[in-house]
């Protein structure tokens, strides 16, 4: 903006310089022609000076008026160019501000999405850790049941109570194995699917978790929602 203003001022100054140079050159030519035609000696007669003044005024009065008019028109033209330049720069500045605002909005939106993503991932990690803890617990149950079966099988005798105890322990072991398998599958499903919100995780987790555990978690799901 400042550089454009300096260029316009320089253009106006250059115009004035050329105009004044042209006027001075015209004065020199007019005086030279007058001296060539009427002599180069200064006259002492006032009427001749009056004639010389009329001659100069008749030539340079319209010339100066015309040059002044051109200067005014040149000034108006340069001012119009300056206004157009200011208008264009204001337009560019406004576009830059709009782009800056849009970029800030994108950054804010990105930061908000990142915050949501961090919360969702944190919640998912908590649920996966919970499932991992349950899997470890049922593995301990499975190991305990396996050890109990081995212990009971090593006891001599084949009583009905022994058979019943071994059978119950085997069922307990099989139930633990099934829960371990189901919980691992649920963990994998939660891990490989992209979740946009915590609510998506809850919808994917609680119904299957309730089915695996053999519980009615409707009230827990409602309260969690």
């Amino acid at each position: 903006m400042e550089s454009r203003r300096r260029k316009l001022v320089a253009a106006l100054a250059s115009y004035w310089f050329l105009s004044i140079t042209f006027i001075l050159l015209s004065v020199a030519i007019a005086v030279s022609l007058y001296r060539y035609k009427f002599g180069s000696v200064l006259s002492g007669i006032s009427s001749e000076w009056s004639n010389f003044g009329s001659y100069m005024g008749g030539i340079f009065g319209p010339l100066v008026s015309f040059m002044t008019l051109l200067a005014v028109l040149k000034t108006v033209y340069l001012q119009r160019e300056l206004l157009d330049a200011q208008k264009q720069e204001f337009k560019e500045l406004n576009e830059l501000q709009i782009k800056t605002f849009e970029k800030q909005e994108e950054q804010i939106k990105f930061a908000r999405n990142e915050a949501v993503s961090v919360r969702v991932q944190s919640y998912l990690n908590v649920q996966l850790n919970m499932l991992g803890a349950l899997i470890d617990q049922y593995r301990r149950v499975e190991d305990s049941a396996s050890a109990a079966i081995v212990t009971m099988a090593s006891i001599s005798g084949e009583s009905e109570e022994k058979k019943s105890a071994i059978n119950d322990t085997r069922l307990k072991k099989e139930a633990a194995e099934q829960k371990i398998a189901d919980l691992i599958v649920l963990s994998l499903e939660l891990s490989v699917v992209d979740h946009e919100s915590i609510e998506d995780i809850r919808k994917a987790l609680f119904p299957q978790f309730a089915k695996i555990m053999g519980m009615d978690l409707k009230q827990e799901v409602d309260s969690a929602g």
Side-chain angles (χ1 to χ4, degrees):
M1 181 64 183
E2 188 64 27
S3 61
R4 184 64 179 271
R5 185 183 290 106
R6 285 199 296 267
K7 289 180 180 179
L8 295 178
V9 172
L12 183 59
S14 176
Y15 173 80
W16 275 110
F17 175 77
L18 293 176
S19 298
I20 293 173
T21 301
F22 175 74
I23 291 174
L24 292 177
L25 182 62
S26 300
V27 169
I29 294 174
V31 171
S32 298
L33 290 175
Y34 188 88
R35 290 179 64 186
Y36 175 78
K37 184 67 178 177
F38 299 103
S40 59
V41 180
L42 294 178
S43 175
I45 302 174
S46 61
S47 60
E48 292 184 358
W49 281 98
S50 177
N51 292 335
F52 179 75
S54 298
Y55 166 75
M56 296 298 291
I59 292 177
F60 293 104
L63 179 61
V64 171
S65 298
F66 178 71
M67 297 301 295
T68 303
L69 177 61
L70 291 181
V72 171
L73 294 176
K74 183 69 174 179
T75 303
V76 172
Y77 173 75
L78 293 177
Q79 288 178 342
R80 182 176 179 181
E81 281 194 345
L82 180 60
L83 291 175
D84 290 341
Q86 290 177 337
K87 183 178 179 181
Q88 180 64 27
E89 290 186 359
F90 287 148
K91 181 179 179 181
E92 293 176 355
L93 179 60
N94 184 51
E95 292 177 351
L96 178 61
Q97 289 176 341
I98 292 175
K99 290 180 179 179
T100 303
F101 178 73
E102 291 177 348
K103 187 175 181 180
Q104 289 176 345
E105 281 190 333
E106 290 178 358
Q107 291 176 346
I108 292 173
K109 184 178 179 180
F110 177 77
R112 186 183 297 114
N113 292 337
E114 282 294 312
V116 172
S117 178
V118 169
R119 287 183 58 199
V120 171
Q121 187 61 42
S122 178
Y123 183 81
L124 177 61
N125 291 337
V126 170
Q127 303 307 316
L128 291 176
N129 290 336
M130 181 269 294
L131 293 177
L134 284 175
I135 291 172
D136 291 338
Q137 179 181 345
Y138 281 111
R139 278 176 176 165
R140 288 193 294 271
V141 171
E142 177 190 8
D143 293 340
S144 177
S146 298
I149 291 173
V150 172
T151 300
M152 287 185 289
S154 64
I155 299 174
S156 59
E158 294 295 333
S159 64
E160 291 296 328
E161 293 181 357
K162 176 182 175 181
K163 292 180 179 179
S164 177
I166 292 175
N167 185 60
D168 291 342
T169 305
R170 184 177 290 108
L171 293 176
K172 185 177 180 180
K173 178 178 177 293
E174 292 174 354
E177 291 174 346
Q178 184 62 46
K179 282 184 170 56
I180 290 172
D182 293 339
L183 290 172
I184 289 175
V185 171
L186 178 56
S187 299
L188 291 175
E189 290 178 353
L190 290 176
S191 300
V192 299
V193 176
D194 292 332
H195 303 282
E196 296 182 357
S197 65
I198 293 177
E199 185 63 26
D200 290 343
I201 298 176
R202 290 172 176 169
K203 290 180 179 179
L205 171 64
F206 289 145
Q208 295 190 54
F209 182 77
K211 183 178 179 181
I212 293 171
M213 303 304 294
M215 298 184 300
D216 183 7
L217 295 184
K218 185 177 184 304
Q219 293 182 352
E220 285 79 356
V221 174
D222 293 338
S223 62

